Amino acid sequence: MKKKAFIFDLDGVIVDTAKFHFVAWQRLAASLDINFTEKENEQLKGVSRVNSLKKILEWGDKQISEDLFQSKMAQKNQEYLELIKTLSTDDILPGVHDFLIKLRQSGQPIALGSASKNARPILEKLGIMNLFDVIVDGTDVTKAKPDPEVFLSACGQLQMQASESVVFEDSLAGIQAANSAGMISIGLGDPQILKEADEVFQTFTQMPEDYINSLLNKKK
Ligand code: B16
Ligand code: MG
């Protein structure tokens, strides 16, 4: 049977946490007198917490001490954790659960490749931790997307080659990371933003019936 490594981003692919990141960053930006809109938030998708705060400070033309930087990051995460407290199975994005189950049934290796340091507790809240063979998240890597480290580590741990891997991503940085690793990149979201992806869908429910099969036969 054909096999590929199926690697999933978390935020924006499995669950819509972007709206909670947005609220938490907006409150933080306001506390520093920085204007922060959905447009800027879009640019933070897939970007690590530390790099996100650096970008917000850059946009606001603000410099802060290292101590304040650390406390602002902690404050943002506290707000975010408060906002995601009620996450449950109901918050899994449409079609994702079925897709994961089909992959499992066909014996495909599955990994999570996320920039988030909160990935494990989020998967637990969603009740799908057991569907992943390997989890690589923001606590395991040193280089943030668009660096491919997170995806290369995931496919390595699954004992697969990069050329045999498929990545599902909602952020441009994540698509670029997958492409630079030589992996098939599938975008979830706006085709205008994700135009570097090999294919783009709005949601998993829009994928054709036998999509897993066609991915198994697909070459980069
Ligand atoms: P945390 P992903 C990313 O997750 C988010 O897209 C991004 O908005 C967030 O800043 C980053 O995780 C870090 O998250 O603060 O929870 O460590 O899309 O790579 O799953
Ligand atoms: Mg994402």
Side-chain angles (χ1 to χ4, degrees):
M1 197 200 30
K2 283 191 178 160
K3 274 200 181 169
K4 277 208 162 85
F6 287 81
I7 307 173
F8 293 80
D9 173 52
L10 178 67
D11 293 332
V13 169
I14 292 177
V15 59
D16 180 17
T17 40
K19 58 186 179 211
F20 302 125
H21 280 297
F22 176 53
V23 172
W25 281 130
Q26 200 171 41
R27 285 183 192 157
L28 182 120
S31 77
L32 291 165
D33 270 331
I34 298 173
N35 188 37
F36 183 77
T37 65
E38 298 251 18
K39 202 172 143 229
E40 280 99 32
N41 191 54
E42 187 60 44
Q43 294 178 55
L44 298 186
K45 285 187 179 170
V47 176
S48 67
R49 201 182 307 163
V50 57
N51 287 343
S52 298
L53 182 51
K54 281 184 189 162
K55 275 181 188 265
I56 291 172
L57 292 170
E58 242 172 68
W59 293 328
D61 204 13
K62 281 254 149 73
Q63 272 138 24
I64 60 175
S65 70
E66 182 54 28
D67 280 358
L68 188 57
F69 189 98
Q70 291 304 330
S71 91
K72 288 288 168 193
M73 279 217 301
Q75 185 188 328
K76 186 270 173 178
N77 198 46
Q78 234 170 4
E79 297 244 20
Y80 177 68
L81 290 177
E82 200 54 43
L83 292 163
I84 62 166
K85 248 186 183 157
T86 58
L87 276 187
S88 74
T89 313
D90 297 341
D91 295 293
I92 300 174
L93 285 168
V96 174
H97 196 255
D98 278 2
F99 195 84
L100 287 168
I101 298 287
K102 279 188 193 148
L103 287 177
R104 268 256 164 270
Q105 284 167 347
S106 83
Q108 300 300 323
I110 307 174
L112 187 88
S114 166
S116 174
K117 294 187 170 174
N118 297 301
R120 285 175 173 87
I122 291 175
L123 286 182
E124 258 166 35
K125 280 176 196 292
L126 301 178
I128 52 171
M129 191 86 150
N130 60 332
L131 296 176
F132 293 86
D133 300 300
V134 161
I135 293 172
V136 184
D137 68 14
T139 64
D140 305 307
V141 293
T142 50
K143 293 179 220 132
K145 300 167 188 175
D147 188 283
E149 183 185 6
V150 62
F151 298 141
L152 287 172
S153 168
C155 93
Q157 288 186 51
L158 290 172
Q159 299 185 318
M160 300 288 284
Q161 302 295 319
S163 58
E164 302 166 316
S165 302
V166 184
V167 170
F168 299 90
E169 252 296 343
D170 71 312
S171 72
L172 178 59
I175 294 293
Q176 290 169 337
N179 288 343
S180 77
M183 299 175 173
I184 295 170
S185 56
I186 309 297
L188 272 305
D190 184 342
Q192 281 309 313
I193 296 169
L194 304 174
K195 46 176 176 264
E196 293 174 34
D198 292 318
E199 279 186 84
V200 181
F201 297 93
Q202 211 59 250
T203 67
F204 278 78
T205 52
Q206 289 176 350
M207 293 170 183
E209 186 61 34
D210 62 344
Y211 192 54
I212 292 176
N213 232 338
S214 72
L215 283 175
L216 289 173
N217 291 308
K218 195 174 169 75
K219 292 222 161 38
K220 180 73 182 170

